[in-house]
Amino acid sequence: MADAVGGLVQEEQAAPDRFDDRLSRVVDAGTHPVPHRVVAHMRQDAFEDRFTFGLEVVLARLPE
C-alpha cells in the first residue's frame, strides 16, 4: 500500500497541468478500446478519486 500511495503522490506532483487533456484526445475507442474506457479516470484532476478508490479496494479485502 505504501508503494501505491508513494506512486500516486509522485504522479500528482509531476503533473504538468491539472487540465491537460492530451491523453483523452488521442485515445480513440476504435484503436484503443480498453484505455478509452478508463481514460476519464486518468485525468489530471482525479488523483483524490483514484486514491480513494484504491484505498477502498484494499480495505474491503482486509479480514474483519
Side-chain angles (χ1 to χ4, degrees):
M1 171 103 173
D3 290 341
V5 171
L8 192 60
V9 169
Q10 286 178 335
E11 184 181 343
E12 184 174 6
Q13 289 175 344
D17 184 358
R18 297 196 79 125
F19 303 105
D20 186 348
D21 68 341
R22 288 178 291 172
L23 181 61
S24 61
R25 286 184 291 161
V26 298
V27 176
D28 178 77
T31 309
H32 310 287
V34 174
H36 184 264
R37 290 195 326 232
V38 298
V39 74
H41 303 287
M42 301 303 290
R43 64 186 197 278
Q44 295 293 345
D45 62 342
F47 293 109
E48 188 171 333
D49 295 339
R50 290 173 25 219
F51 176 79
T52 301
F53 172 77
L55 181 60
E56 288 172 355
V57 168
V58 169
L59 293 177
R61 294 176 184 237
L62 291 176
E64 292 185 22

